[in-house]
Amino acid sequence: MRGRGRERGFLCVVCQGTALALAVAGSVCAEDSNVRLRGAPGMAVRRAIEGASLRLEEPECRRVLTDFTDAAGRPLEAALDRLGETPAGYLRGLVFFYDGSSQRRCATGEILGGTQPGSRVIYVCPVQFFETDRRDKLATEVFIIHETLHSLGLGENPPAPVEINWRVMKRCRERAASSAKASGR
């Protein structure tokens, strides 16, 4: 029996060590990522960023960057050109997504998040974002693109948020249809 007790003790230490290593690795990965939300909402944001990035690689979707301008009248694509960045590179590394739970706007339960024109910080309302992403992946990808446009300098009112979403949907929805056909979905 004594041997079994030692084995259990050893296994317990190994399991705890493995759990600690995984927790530390998870923390490091979260900090190395531009998505600063944890758990399921963080995974949903990462998935939506990837989907939005793939959409923006399509020429028709990328046109939203020239459909809108910043306060100086420059197309939003010019901001990416000045940075020497692609839309996907910008989304995956130069914009940071933070938990917006403490933001007053998230408390309403009516929005997925927001940012200020020119800011590289996008606040995400984790509960609303996660629930929306479970039901409608396109909606969260449109949100990511919409907020990226603001991050690149697009103001709001004008254009109205629904106008921005309409344009993004018009330009970027086709990718979903062609991808679904290509992948057999």
Side-chain angles (χ1 to χ4, degrees), residues 22-49:
L22 289 172
V24 169
S27 300
V28 171
C29 291
E31 291 305 312
D32 287 347
S33 168
N34 64 325
V35 177
R36 303 298 169 90
L37 288 95
R38 296 192 182 281
M43 289 188 301
V45 171
R46 284 181 192 85
R47 192 222 50 81
I49 290 169

Side-chain angles (χ1 to χ4, degrees), residues 68 146 156-157 159-169:
F68 296 107
H146 178 128
E156 197 162 75
N157 291 322
V162 322
E163 182 183 341
I164 298 167
N165 285 343
W166 178 83
R167 186 65 60 94
V168 171
M169 288 289 293

Side-chain angles (χ1 to χ4, degrees), residues 62-154:
R62 190 177 175 133
R63 286 181 55 194
V64 296
L65 299 170
T66 57
D67 287 343
F68 296 107
T69 59
D70 63 15
R74 295 178 298 241
L76 300 178
E77 190 170 53
L80 288 175
D81 293 342
R82 283 191 302 278
L83 294 168
E85 212 35 270
T86 65
Y90 184 76
L91 262 177
R92 292 175 182 147
L94 296 180
V95 179
F96 291 86
F97 296 84
Y98 284 93
D99 184 329
S101 297
S102 64
Q103 302 290 311
R104 194 174 76 226
R105 296 178 71 194
C106 283
T108 68
E110 298 173 5
I111 65 167
L112 300 183
T115 192
Q116 296 296 315
S119 173
R120 290 200 191 160
V121 173
I122 296 174
Y123 290 99
V124 176
C125 305
V127 173
Q128 294 94 302
F129 192 93
F130 176 72
E131 289 301 317
T132 301
D133 191 65
R134 281 186 342 131
R135 291 186 316 272
D136 188 352
K137 307 271 189 248
L138 177 61
T140 53
E141 291 172 18
V142 167
F143 165 80
I144 296 292
I145 295 170
H146 178 128
E147 295 307 322
T148 299
L149 297 174
H150 288 310
S151 177
L152 290 169
L154 177 64

